[in-house]
Amino acid sequence: MTRVEKSIEINVSPKKVWEMFAFDRLPEWMDDLKSVKYTSEVRTSKDKYRVGASAHVIKVEKEEFDFEITESLENEKLTARTSPLHGVTMTATFTLKPTGAGTEMTYAVDYEMPWGIFGKFLDKLFVRRALREDITGEAENLKTVLEK
């Protein structure tokens, strides 16, 4: 299992950051998402963050996958797993810690490459670096959106 992560200070409360983790809010700060639609029942806003909440995602490149929340501690931690995309299943974890200026958010992605030694080679050559760049850009976008 490989992990990439990025921590960033955001000058708003953990509650404000938490609100952006609802699946339907992700396209506001994840530029490569075209649409996100809940596949689980959402009756109240709290349903968007409960364990088992799920959504279908279409990326700008027309790739599709599903998200499902596997851990949820309001204003503290949210973990969601993706369905396989190109044979790779990823788990994204967002951890929030209050600071004097706002919130320290850590965005971590755990994944395992398929295809044995060839997958390990691709990971070292390309995937890990690209994923690190993606989560860094997304964290910076979230900070920009929230601090406007």
Side-chain angles (χ1 to χ4, degrees):
M1 189 73 71
T2 303
R3 172 177 275 232
V4 294
E5 70 178 46
K6 170 70 177 172
S7 292
I8 190 167
E9 178 96 15
I10 303 174
N11 295 318
V12 298
S13 69
K15 181 181 186 309
K16 290 287 185 192
V17 180
W18 177 260
E19 292 169 357
M20 299 302 285
F21 298 156
F23 292 141
D24 57 347
R25 303 286 308 267
L26 297 180
E28 293 178 43
W29 55 280
M30 292 183 169
D31 295 339
D32 65 338
L33 301 185
K34 182 177 179 183
S35 74
V36 179
K37 297 195 191 277
Y38 282 93
T39 54
S40 59
E41 189 172 344
V42 177
R43 291 184 179 179
T44 69
S45 60
K46 292 228 184 236
D47 289 343
K48 294 180 179 187
Y49 305 95
R50 69 176 169 72
V51 171
S54 59
H56 184 74
V57 178
I58 301 174
K59 295 178 76 172
V60 172
E61 305 89 19
K62 302 204 186 322
E63 298 172 323
E64 298 184 29
F65 62 94
D66 294 307
F67 262 131
E68 181 179 349
I69 294 176
T70 58
E71 182 178 13
S72 181
L73 299 168
E74 188 172 359
N75 300 327
E76 293 179 30
K77 184 176 184 181
L78 185 116
T79 302
R81 183 183 59 239
T82 68
S83 60
L85 179 62
H86 304 296
V88 180
T89 299
M90 296 185 190
T91 301
T93 301
F94 301 95
T95 306
L96 306 176
K97 292 182 182 168
T99 65
T103 305
E104 177 187 16
M105 179 191 76
T106 301
Y107 179 3
V109 175
D110 295 292
Y111 65 98
E112 190 165 352
M113 293 293 295
W115 314 305
I117 191 112
F118 181 67
K120 289 179 183 186
F121 175 73
L122 285 176
D123 186 34
K124 287 184 180 186
L125 184 66
F126 173 72
V127 176
R128 187 176 312 157
R129 180 181 45 205
L131 191 53
R132 187 174 290 120
E133 289 173 7
D134 284 350
I135 70 169
T136 297
E138 290 167 354
E140 292 289 341
N141 286 348
L142 179 59
K143 177 179 174 70
T144 300
V145 165
L146 285 169
E147 291 182 355
K148 278 187 182 177

